[in-house]
Amino acid sequence: EIVLTQSPGTLSLSPGERATLSCRASQSVSSSYLAWYQQKPGQAPRLLIYGASSRATGIPDRFSGSGSGTDFTLTISRLEPEDFAVYYCNKLTFGGGTKVEIK
Amino acid sequence: QLQLQESGSGLVKPSQTLSLTCAVSGGSISSGGYSWSWIRQPPGKGLEWIGYIYHSGSTYYNPSLKSRVTISVDRSKNQFSLKLSSVTAADTAVYYCARYKGAFDYWGQGTLVTVSS
């Protein structure tokens, strides 16, 4: 069973700053199956990135995904107020999440 | 637009069986090579994948829950279901249904199930 470890647990940033979120897998993962989600309080998660680097429908281009093998990254180029949320990486199982909070 | 809606008992007694159904609208559960999944989230915690059923009917479960989980599909009603047996307080969570094909692209709104006597 693949374990996904996300870091950092919490990221404190200001609007306009760049966010870099990490997801490390316990064994090599096919990029085709690595996804990222955003979740806001009281809401279901929303798919942001699939196939490690493809944006889902309607996702702004400030969100980008990269990586391969065991190391994957979600980057938000310039944080907007609505981007402060919890982010999960996923390959069937989920990472523990990274909370992006307002500094 | 595809929509998923969970329904079922919001309160289950310890040792009993949790039963939920996910109704799919705006598309057929039998088409497109998708799998149909259940995911849960305990209050204040992260997401846990429970399992899924392929469009063909075969199933795949999280090994940590496999002994207690059954996912089935009712194609005539365009819905799929979850049964989780021998529940404890640790099974208290918001339960989501979702469509899967390499990623979970459509989600239900979630339903809170509390395990308590």
Side-chain angles (χ1 to χ4, degrees):
Chain A
E1 182 182 347
I2 292 175
V3 176
L4 299 177
T5 301
Q6 291 187 240
S7 61
T10 302
L11 202 49
S12 297
L13 295 168
S14 300
E17 290 193 293
R18 182 184 186 90
T20 303
L21 287 66
S22 174
C23 177
R24 178 161 290 178
S26 59
Q27 57 187 279
S28 186
V29 171
S30 167
S31 296
S32 299
Y33 296 99
L34 196 287
W36 291 90
Y37 304 81
Q38 176 193 68
Q39 188 179 32
K40 297 180 180 179
Q43 296 183 16
R46 176 175 71 145
L47 176 64
L48 296 176
I49 301 287
Y50 65 94
S53 60
S54 298
R55 276 187 299 276
T57 302
I59 301 303
D61 60 7
R62 64 180 181 274
F63 291 92
S64 63
S66 63
S68 63
T70 60
D71 291 298
F72 297 88
T73 300
L74 174 70
T75 301
I76 310 171
S77 59
R78 294 172 308 281
L79 283 164
E80 297 288 340
E82 62 268 27
D83 298 338
F84 291 91
V86 180
Y87 293 84
Y88 294 95
C89 64
N90 160 253
K91 192 273 180 186
L92 268 188
T93 57
F94 291 87
T98 292
K99 181 179 182 180
V100 179
E101 65 176 22
I102 299 176
K103 186 173 181 180
Chain B
Q1 175 79 344
L2 192 75
Q3 292 188 322
L4 291 80
Q5 178 67 57
E6 305 91 349
S7 63
S9 175
L11 180 63
V12 183
K13 289 182 168 50
S15 79
Q16 293 190 341
T17 296
L18 176 161
S19 295
L20 296 173
T21 295
C22 181
V24 179
S25 59
S28 172
I29 203 168
S30 300
S31 67
Y34 294 99
S35 301
W36 303 91
S37 193
W38 289 96
I39 295 153
R40 70 180 182 178
Q41 185 170 37
K45 297 188 178 180
L47 299 163
E48 180 179 32
W49 170 70
I50 298 171
Y52 61 60
I53 187 163
Y54 279 112
H55 61 97
S56 63
S58 56
T59 53
Y60 184 38
Y61 301 136
N62 186 324
S64 67
L65 296 169
K66 185 177 181 179
S67 63
R68 299 194 291 131
V69 174
T70 302
I71 297 176
S72 59
V73 65
D74 185 337
R75 299 183 194 287
S76 66
K77 294 182 178 179
N78 215 39
Q79 64 186 33
F80 61 106
S81 298
L82 168 71
K83 291 189 185 299
L84 181 66
S85 64
S86 305
V87 298
T88 69
D91 295 309
T92 293
V94 174
Y95 285 76
Y96 296 100
C97 57
R99 188 179 80 167
Y100 181 77
K101 190 175 186 180
F104 297 103
D105 57 353
Y106 285 92
W107 295 66
Q109 64 186 26
T111 188
L112 174 64
V113 178
T114 301
V115 178
S116 174
S117 55

